């Protein structure tokens, strides 16, 4: 019964098929940087879940991405403190 | 905003901002109940803890089938599963997961919000109700893991949910040892104790869910339809 197995992200364990790791240095997979993140820096913080949910719902209500909403909020706070807004 | 658009496939999202409300148990048993009446069901596990996927691994291919999904891929997976014949899709989500919860709710024909009848859980559930209100999806709070015989507790909890603007499911799923025993053995309560109270309560919940989704609960009716 594997009608939907093709839709799984994680593929079932393949016993014995995968080659055993050899050598001493661990191989780190090279993940390409998505174009939207090139030349950009992440800013993060830890907040209560209610704030996270409120931001997500606010963004959806106005048809924005969370990224757009946060960029707008940071510009607003920069203006509030007399700094120049940076924009996206 | 995505709207459910697969006429032969119904989707139920299980969401709750609070952990320990029995989301995975609810998801597993709803998918299993659908399988029991001959429906092709699929459980999409979006929880990084992958509890439902682990359970499915223990079952070694016994339905209901479980696949994992990153939240942004939920709509595409529903569309693909619908094209592959899925009749009922249940989406299990992790707690405190705004993206998974909103993506799942957005794609759902029915949202179930499992919640313990306790003050902390009910307070946390308020944010979940706000989310489904925003997405305009039919949603019901399902009281889970509470005492089996406590009508006053459930009456108070119902009043609170109504006060938040939410609706409650008339079927209550009290704490039963059968859930723990069944899940730990890679089973459902239908398999562990088919005549037991837990199985009976989930049968009732499944029938109620089908009514909400306008689905038949009997295989013979579906075939003749």
């Amino acid at each position: 019964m594997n009608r939907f197995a093709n839709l799984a992200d994680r593929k079932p364990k393949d016993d014995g098929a995968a080659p055993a790791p050899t050598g001493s240095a661990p191989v780190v997979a090279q993940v390409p940087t998505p174009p939207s993140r090139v030349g950009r820096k992440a800013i993060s913080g830890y907040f209560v879940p209610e704030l996270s949910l409120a931001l997500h719902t606010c963004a959806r209500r106005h048809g924005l991405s969370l990224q757009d909403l946060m960029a707008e909020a940071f510009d607003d706070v920069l203006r509030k403190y007399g700094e120049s807004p940076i924009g996206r | 905003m995505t709207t459910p658009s697969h006429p032969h496939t119904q989707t139920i999202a299980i969401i709750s901002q609070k952990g320990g409300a029995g989301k995975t148990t609810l998801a597993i048993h709803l998918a299993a109940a659908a399988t029991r009446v001959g429906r092709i069901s699929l459980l999409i596990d979006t929880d990084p803890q992958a509890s439902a996927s682990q359970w499915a691994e223990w079952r070694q291919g016994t339905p209901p089938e479980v696949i994992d999904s990153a939240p942004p891929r939920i709509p595409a997976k529903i569309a693909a599963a619908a094209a592959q014949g899925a009749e009922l899709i249940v989406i299990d989500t992790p707690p405190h997961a705004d993206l998974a919860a909103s993506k799942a709710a957005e794609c759902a024909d029915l949202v179930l919000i499992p919640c313990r009848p306790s003050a902390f859980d009910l307070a946390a559930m308020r944010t979940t109700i706000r989310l489904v209100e925003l997405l305009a999806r039919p949603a019901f709070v399902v009281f889970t893991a509470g005492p089996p015989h406590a009508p006053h507790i459930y009456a108070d909890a119902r009043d609170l949910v109504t006060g938040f603007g939410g609706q409650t499911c008339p079927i209550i799923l009290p704490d039963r040892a059968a859930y723990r025993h069944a899940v730990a053995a890679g089973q459902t309560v239908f398999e562990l104790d088919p005549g037991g109270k837990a199985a009976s309560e989930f049968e009732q919940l499944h029938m109620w869910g089908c009514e909400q989704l306008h689905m038949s609960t009997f295989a013979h009716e579906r075939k003749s339809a």
Side-chain angles (χ1 to χ4, degrees):
Chain A
M1 275 302 293
N2 286 318
R3 177 189 280 259
F4 304 107
N6 61 317
L7 302 179
D9 288 341
R10 265 189 300 269
K11 297 302 170 197
K13 286 169 192 162
D14 199 359
D15 294 335
T22 53
S24 55
V27 179
V28 179
Q30 293 295 312
V31 181
T33 307
S36 60
R37 293 186 187 173
V38 173
R40 287 170 179 258
K41 192 171 170 61
I43 304 173
S44 63
Y46 285 81
F47 303 96
V48 294
E50 288 76 12
L51 178 62
S52 170
L53 182 64
L55 288 172
H56 275 88
T57 52
C58 181
R60 271 173 188 275
R61 188 174 283 134
H62 296 284
L64 299 169
S65 67
L66 189 62
Q67 164 90 32
D68 291 340
L69 188 81
M70 288 171 73
E72 191 179 329
F74 292 149
D75 274 354
D76 284 352
V77 84
L78 286 170
R79 283 192 199 93
K80 177 183 167 185
Y81 288 105
E83 307 285 342
S84 295
I86 305 294
R88 288 188 286 153
Chain B
M1 197 173 286
T2 315
T3 336
S5 58
H6 311 290
H8 304 296
T9 307
Q10 300 286 347
T11 303
I12 301 178
I14 314 290
I15 66 174
S16 166
Q17 293 302 106
K18 195 98 166 68
K23 282 188 285 292
T24 301
T25 303
L26 180 56
I28 284 170
H29 283 88
L30 275 177
T35 303
R36 286 183 86 216
V37 296
R39 189 165 275 128
I40 299 167
S41 67
L42 171 67
L43 201 168
I44 300 181
D45 183 8
T46 66
D47 190 343
Q49 289 188 19
S51 307
S53 301
Q54 175 64 71
W55 174 81
E57 220 168 272
W58 291 336
R59 292 170 70 78
Q60 299 180 327
T62 307
E65 203 170 328
V66 179
I67 60 164
D68 60 334
S69 180
R73 293 169 52 76
I74 294 172
K77 293 214 178 184
I78 290 175
Q84 287 176 221
E87 293 171 280
L88 180 73
I89 298 174
V90 182
I91 310 172
D92 187 20
T93 62
H96 305 304
D98 308 323
L99 181 62
S102 61
K103 274 285 173 195
E106 207 171 277
C107 301
D109 300 289
L110 175 67
V111 177
L112 298 182
I113 307 167
C115 181
R116 288 169 182 263
S118 80
F120 290 134
D121 292 66
L122 286 160
M125 180 263 305
R126 193 173 190 168
T127 54
T128 314
I129 289 181
R130 279 183 48 217
L131 175 71
V132 292
E133 271 175 1
L134 175 74
L135 299 170
R137 287 285 173 268
F140 293 85
V141 172
V142 183
F143 292 120
T144 56
H149 307 290
H152 295 298
I153 288 180
Y154 293 110
D156 288 350
R158 269 202 192 97
D159 288 346
L160 206 58
V161 171
T162 311
F164 290 159
Q167 302 183 85
T168 56
C169 166
I171 316 298
I172 291 168
L173 303 170
D175 184 33
R176 307 248 181 237
Y179 296 126
R180 290 185 287 280
H181 296 151
V183 172
Q187 292 184 316
T188 64
V189 292
F190 304 122
E191 292 151 348
L192 182 87
D193 185 13
K197 287 179 181 169
S200 162
E201 284 154 2
F202 255 108
E203 268 167 13
Q204 291 174 55
L205 181 75
H206 174 241
M207 288 179 74
W208 172 85
C210 288
E211 284 168 21
Q212 303 304 312
L213 294 167
H214 309 294
M215 291 175 102
S216 167
T217 48
F218 299 102
H220 68 272
E221 286 181 17
R222 292 174 40 240
K223 278 174 189 160
S224 61

